[in-house]
Structure formats: C-alpha cells, structure tokens
Amino acid sequence: MAFSLTRTPRELVFRSATLTRRDWITPTYARLRFEGHDLRGFGSLGSDDHIRVFFRNPDGEPSTDPAVLRTGVSREYTPFAWDADAGILDLEFVIHGDAGVAGPWAATAPLGSTVGIGGPRGSLVMNGQPDGWFLAGDETALPAIKRFLSIMRADAIGTVFVEVTDAAFEQALDAPAGITVRWVHRGNAPESSILGSALDSLGAADRPAGDVFAFIAAEQSIVRSGRALVFDRWQLDPATAIVKGYWKRGEAEYHAPH
Ligand SMILES: Cc1cc2nc3c(=O)[nH]c(=O)nc-3n(C[C@H](O)[C@H](O)[C@H](O)COP(=O)(O)OP(=O)(O)OC[C@H]3O[C@@H](n4cnc5c(N)ncnc54)[C@H](O)[C@@H]3O)c2cc1C
C-alpha cells in the first residue's frame, strides 16, 4: 500500500480566540482570522480534522473566560491555516443564509468578538502518498479539500469535484498539474443532488489506478452516492476512504458520525 491513514488522538484543549479579520472569497464564503494567546501551540495533523467553535451572541460583551465561552452553542469547522507561534488561526465559513448560528455569526460578528475553540481531539494522519486521489465535496468540504491539495506531491494524479451554486461561486484552487478540478453547478437544485449525480455517473473504468485515497463530504445525502462509488464500484478499502455528511438539510447542529 502506497499510503495509510493513522488515527492519532490528541489531548482536548479549550482555547479562547478573538475575531480579527474577515475576507470574503465569494458572496457566500468567508475566511475569518482568529487571534489570541491561547492559540499559541495550536496544531492540526489531519487535513480533514475538525474543531468545535463555541459562539457567543455577537451583541454580548466579548469574553475570554473559558467558563463563559463554553456556554455558547457550538458547531464543527475545519482548521484551515494557522501560525502556532503567532497565535493565529484561519477558518473558512459557508454563509448559508439567516438560519442557524455559525453562518450568521461568521457573516456579521464585529471584529473583536470572541469564540471558544475546542480540539482537534484527534487526527487521521496520512503516511506516504496515494497513487491516485479522488476528492469531492460541497463548499463546507472546501477547507479540507484545500488542505489535501496542499499536501499532495507535485506529481500527484487525481480528480476533485466541487459542487457550488454557479460559476460565480467557484474559487481558485492551487492543484498540482495532474489533478483535474471539476466544478459542478447546482443552480436551484438541492445541495448534494448534482454532486451525487456526478458521482453516480462514474463507473468502475473511472477508478484511478493503484492505491486510491478518496475523501467525499457534503450535505448528508451525498453519503449514499459516495459509498456506492468508492466501496461498491471501486472496491476501495474502507481504511483508505472517508465518506461523510458534513451537514444535513433541515437539521440544526447535525452530528456527522465519526
Ligand atoms: C467534520 C466537519 C467539518 C466541517 N467543516 C466546515 C468548514 O470548515 N466550513 C463550513 O462552512 N462548514 C463546515 N462544516 C459544516 C458545518 O458544521 C455545518 O454547516 C453547520 O451546520 C453550520 O452551523 P449553523 O449554525 O450555521 O447552522 P445550523 O444551526 O447547524 O443549521 C441551521 C439550518 O441551516 C442549514 N445548514 C447548515 N449548514 C448549511 C450549509 N452549509 N448550507 C446550507 N444550509 C445549511 C441546516 O440544514 C439547518 O436547516 C463541517 C462539518 C463537519 C461535520
């Protein structure tokens, strides 16, 4: 096997952090910078790691007291980039409308607002490199997909599928030359449905050669198409593929099975 994934536990640390910057990447996707002394030493070994972000009401007094921050509602996010010496952590948020807590907070919280950050509690660490990569997701999976792209060797081969609303919501991805990036547009169709159709249209002949790593994450209904592709038609070893619902339509605070 050209690569393996090793589950590496990590001591759970709770940190406070202050929102210091917001950059809009598309009209519904923003990168937020968090800073603070507590973020010194932050680390994340796995490209699909997740942390739990605890949000306070942005109208409330900013607090860095862990006991206060822990009372906020929390959601799961992917550590996108960090500087452990400077105490900086960047997260990327899908701004999906007025519903929920995290999306509206990410869009509107004033700079200086505080959050609590728990984790990552463990990581799936890639050792070696696969012969072929297959990554697929919606916008919520883009931070993880970008992290996977960043660890690929320059001669990596594979395909990335990303579902977004339309061309205006596509993002520049830094991918090696051998990685084909395909944007699929959902338009007004339900999230994951067009990505699901794209996966359903792939057959055994589309399987990359050799030892393949697959990561598929999007709205929960992607799981059926994702599993059918990688486990039934491509016969990948479950130890080398990740297929997850990152959120569920109509359900707040969906907990993906880990
Ligand atoms: C391991 C993991 C890593 C994740 N990493 C990221 C990440 O880096 N960036 C990111 O943006 N998200 C990420 N997510 C998804 C994020 O946790 C969910 O989208 C979360 O539900 C958002 O919380 P909320 O408070 O905005 O909405 P909630 O209160 O959870 O939900 C309110 C309503 O909004 C809907 N909703 C939730 N998310 C979306 C969405 N993306 N699009 C449309 N409708 C939605 C729900 O179905 C519900 O009807 C990740 C999820 C997991 C499991």
Side-chain angles (χ1 to χ4, degrees), residues 29 48-51 55 74-79 91-96 99-104 138-144 191 219 244-256 258:
Y29 193 97
D48 73 326
D49 277 358
H50 60 93
I51 54 176
F55 301 93
S74 64
R75 298 289 186 265
E76 287 179 79
Y77 282 84
T78 306
L91 304 179
E92 293 191 342
F93 288 78
V94 178
I95 314 297
H96 55 85
V101 175
D138 64 8
E139 299 90 331
T140 62
L142 267 174
E191 296 91 347
E219 195 282 326
K244 269 192 189 171
Y246 262 19
W247 62 281
K248 189 171 180 183
R249 198 170 10 262
E251 198 171 302
E253 208 192 351
Y254 172 67
H255 291 287
H258 296 298

